[in-house]
Amino acid sequence: MASNSTSVPLLTPYKMGSFELSHRVVMPPMTRNRSYNNTPQPHAIEYYAQRATNGGFLISESFSASDISNGSPNMPGIWTEDQTEAWKPIVDSVHGKGGVFFCQFWHPGRLSDSIPDDGEYFMPTPKQLKANELPLIVNDFRNAAHNAIEAGFDGVEINAANSYIIDQFLNDQVNNRTDAYGGNIENCCRLALEIIGAVVEEIGADRVGVKLSLFSKVYGRKDLNPEALSTYLASDLTKLGVLYLHVFEPRDEPRCLKSIRNAFEGTLTASGGYNKTEGDEAITESYADLVSFGRLFLANPDLPKRSEVNAPLNKHDRSTFYRSDPILGYTDYPSLEIAC
């Protein structure tokens, strides 16, 4: 890193638990749909290695926690031994560059597509999970965390955001249950805390992060009191000792993380269409500890270096985000050439 880089907030070092980060530019999970038959492929080795830096923090695309939580045939899984083994060389490629690599996993819940029939997808009619089915989902997350550590990941990020199953339980305008998992804030948070608690028990709190989007809508409906919800959940996650929260801010409600910042004692990562200037401000003001950049990191594999030298940025090609091509829109974004 250049000698004057420490004067730039995003490029200042940060200690996240036991992890010594050299900068605060985080690569977040991004769905890429290039893991054929739910198994990561060799082309992912180059993709992640391109974006790894010494002391940089990367979070993988979201994995299915089990075969019943699978959202697409080209999204990666981590419920089988073969899938776990396939991730090992990818993880090694990031570690070979000195990067810190966490695995995100999920269960899509009502958003899950069926497996395609003759190439066509359809959305099944959702059903409410029975209370005796919920421990099975908790165990799926526990097993996924175990497998992630077995694959060599430094830790895991539980996706409790983006309208997926945990988010569906958290939102009081979507969760219409009348049992112990619905109604008041405590009940709406119950499944989230059971899942996160099980993962903490399995691999240790110092290896666990959680993705949240409590200020966003789920199926077009926003929680009636997201500040109270975020305060309650963040406080309980502090008690569990969770390493970090990775929180999405919707465009119509920027800078909404103060309640979480005040209630959570771990590392806070902000997410939500930030540019470099906005990211620098968030760090300078201690609004967040880290900032994640999705599309910018997708199109600029050397984003931290470009930030350091104020270089122009590649523009992303949205049409290639979810194609299954192993090169186009995946590993073919050029890095900045700098003479040393």
Side-chain angles (χ1 to χ4, degrees), residues 233-244:
L233 187 58
S235 296
D236 271 26
L237 295 179
T238 292
K239 295 173 186 175
L240 281 174
V242 165
L243 178 63
Y244 73 84

Side-chain angles (χ1 to χ4, degrees), residues 163-174:
S163 300
Y164 302 134
I165 193 166
I166 298 175
D167 204 17
Q168 293 163 19
F169 274 74
L170 292 171
N171 187 301
D172 64 8
Q173 296 302 289
V174 174

Side-chain angles (χ1 to χ4, degrees), residues 223-280:
D223 190 273
L224 285 180
N225 195 343
E227 288 81 12
L229 173 63
S230 60
T231 298
Y232 178 89
L233 187 58
S235 296
D236 271 26
L237 295 179
T238 292
K239 295 173 186 175
L240 281 174
V242 165
L243 178 63
Y244 73 84
L245 298 182
H246 184 188
V247 188
F248 176 75
E249 301 169 271
R251 294 179 181 177
D252 62 350
E253 196 167 349
R255 291 297 182 111
C256 58
L257 305 186
K258 291 182 180 178
S259 57
I260 294 178
R261 185 61 156 169
N262 292 335
F264 184 65
E265 296 179 5
T267 294
L268 179 61
T269 302
S271 173
Y274 279 80
N275 60 32
K276 181 180 182 297
T277 299
E278 293 164 340
D280 284 338

Side-chain angles (χ1 to χ4, degrees), residues 32 298-299 315-323 328-329 333:
R32 304 312 317 273
L298 183 153
K315 186 176 180 179
H316 64 266
D317 181 357
R318 185 181 294 274
S319 70
T320 65
F321 280 4
Y322 310 116
R323 290 187 184 180
L328 182 65
Y333 284 106

Side-chain angles (χ1 to χ4, degrees), residues 44-46 48-56 58 87-101 151-154:
I45 297 174
E46 181 179 2
Y48 283 106
Q50 285 177 336
R51 289 157 179 80
T53 54
N54 188 26
L58 287 75
W87 275 109
K88 289 182 178 181
I90 302 168
V91 175
D92 287 345
S93 73
V94 172
H95 287 163
K97 299 279 289 287
V100 176
F101 200 14
F153 284 97
D154 297 297

Side-chain angles (χ1 to χ4, degrees), residues 305 309 336-340:
K305 173 59 71 175
V309 300
L336 185 68
E337 296 294 330
I338 299 179
C340 298

